[in-house]
Amino acid sequence: MEKLIDKYFEGSLSILEKIEFENLRLNNPEFEKELLFQENVQKAIENNERNILKNKLKSFEVSKNKPRPRRKVWMVAASVIFLIGLGLFYIQNQTVDVYSKYYQPYPNTVAPTVRGGSSTGRINDLKSQAFYAYDNEEYAKAVVLFEKINKVEKNEYANFYNGICNMELGNFVKASELFAEIKSPNPYKNYAIYYNALCYVKMDKNREAIIALKKISNMEEPLKSMVKATLSDLE
């Protein structure tokens, strides 16, 4: 548990660890208590370091008027040449990033978050919490909640939005598996195929992405235009 908290503050949690972290945060009061304590410790350390830095800056102020040695012109010129060369290399090797161009998270149309509350359409509290986390981009927490929803009762939206959450977390294999589970007559099926194609792109499986997109190339707008444009960049 302590190791998980340490990695949280280091910013080094893996995708699975993020999900485990949010699960503990939601269901384990002792974990939440320890996390709060550690956050207070971190704040105290940061305040102390800020004061040390402030004192150092004051000491530098004393010597700021001392003459500095001039940089050699050839060093500046070499830096400029390097940057120009780097820019040319980037331009020559730039390709269309299909994923970044077309991906955006699907909007919450199930339980939209409203001001002053969690969400409308309170069919059950678990659903409200899941979509509240989704709308606030707390995707690791949303994954845990959507999985809980699916355990209670299979429904048409949980796997789809869980797949989007996993894409946001960079877990494209898991997202692809979730999208593949969505079958007709689920209203999210065609959009699941589209998002699955984008997962294939991220996994360097452009051939599979093209095959998936062609399955839904004759769908109604707006999906039809999105599929056509994506295929154009992939083929």
Side-chain angles (χ1 to χ4, degrees):
M1 194 163 71
E2 288 182 8
K3 187 178 179 182
L4 207 60
I5 292 174
D6 289 341
K7 293 184 79 172
Y8 166 74
F9 286 114
E10 291 167 3
S12 60
L13 287 171
S14 67
I15 293 165
L16 293 177
E17 285 171 336
K18 284 179 182 177
I19 294 170
E20 183 186 356
F21 179 87
E22 291 298 343
N23 205 356
L24 286 168
R25 200 172 189 176
L26 284 167
N27 300 303
N28 190 325
E30 288 299 318
F31 182 82
E32 180 69 20
K33 185 178 177 181
E34 178 64 20
L35 178 62
L36 185 62
F37 173 75
Q38 292 294 343
E39 282 178 342
N40 289 332
V41 171
Q42 290 289 329
K43 285 177 184 176
I45 293 170
E46 286 172 8
N47 287 335
N48 184 53
E49 289 178 346
R50 195 176 291 115
N51 289 331
I52 292 171
L53 179 61
K54 193 183 291 183
N55 291 331
K56 282 185 179 179
L57 290 172
K58 284 181 181 178
S59 68
F60 292 153
E61 187 72 19
V62 176
S63 59
K64 72 177 181 179
N65 293 320
K66 290 183 180 180
R68 297 178 183 177
R70 292 179 63 188
R71 293 183 179 180
K72 293 182 180 179
V73 175
W74 66 267
M75 289 180 69
V76 177
S79 300
V80 172
I81 291 168
F82 171 75
L83 290 171
I84 292 171
L86 187 63
L88 290 172
F89 175 81
Y90 173 77
I91 292 168
Q92 289 168 358
N93 290 276
Q94 189 177 22
T95 57
V96 177
D97 185 349
V98 173
Y99 183 84
S100 297
K101 185 176 180 180
Y102 294 105
Y103 172 77
Q104 58 180 348
Y106 194 83
N108 168 14
T109 59
V110 179
T113 299
V114 294
R115 266 189 176 181
S118 60
S119 63
T120 57
R122 286 175 171 271
I123 296 174
N124 62 65
D125 191 59
L126 196 58
K127 180 168 78 172
S128 298
Q129 291 175 31
F131 281 103
Y132 187 75
Y134 183 84
D135 287 338
N136 285 281
E137 300 179 3
E138 297 174 349
Y139 296 111
K141 181 188 286 187
V143 163
V144 174
L145 292 167
F146 283 126
E147 286 177 354
K148 278 186 178 181
I149 289 170
N150 241 353
K151 287 177 182 177
V152 173
E153 182 182 359
K154 294 285 182 181
N155 56 74
E156 62 186 22
Y157 65 81
N159 275 352
F160 179 71
Y161 282 98
N162 195 358
I164 302 294
C165 291
N166 274 281
M167 290 178 80
E168 288 286 343
L169 294 168
N171 193 356
F172 298 102
V173 174
K174 178 63 176 178
S176 181
E177 290 171 356
L178 288 164
F179 292 137
E181 289 180 19
I182 299 172
K183 310 292 182 184
S184 293
N186 191 312
Y188 296 101
K189 181 193 173 186
N190 292 329
Y191 281 95
I193 292 172
Y194 182 77
Y195 279 102
N196 200 7
L198 293 180
C199 287
Y200 285 140
V201 170
K202 265 300 196 181
M203 294 187 285
D204 294 322
K205 296 180 178 180
N206 284 8
R207 183 173 174 275
E208 286 88 341
I210 291 168
I211 292 170
L213 290 170
K214 285 184 175 179
K215 289 180 182 177
I216 53 171
S217 59
N218 293 320
M219 293 296 110
E220 295 179 359
E221 298 292 359
L223 191 58
K224 185 176 181 178
S225 295
M226 290 167 58
V227 170
K228 185 178 178 181
T230 310
L231 276 171
S232 177
D233 282 339
L234 285 173
E235 290 181 318

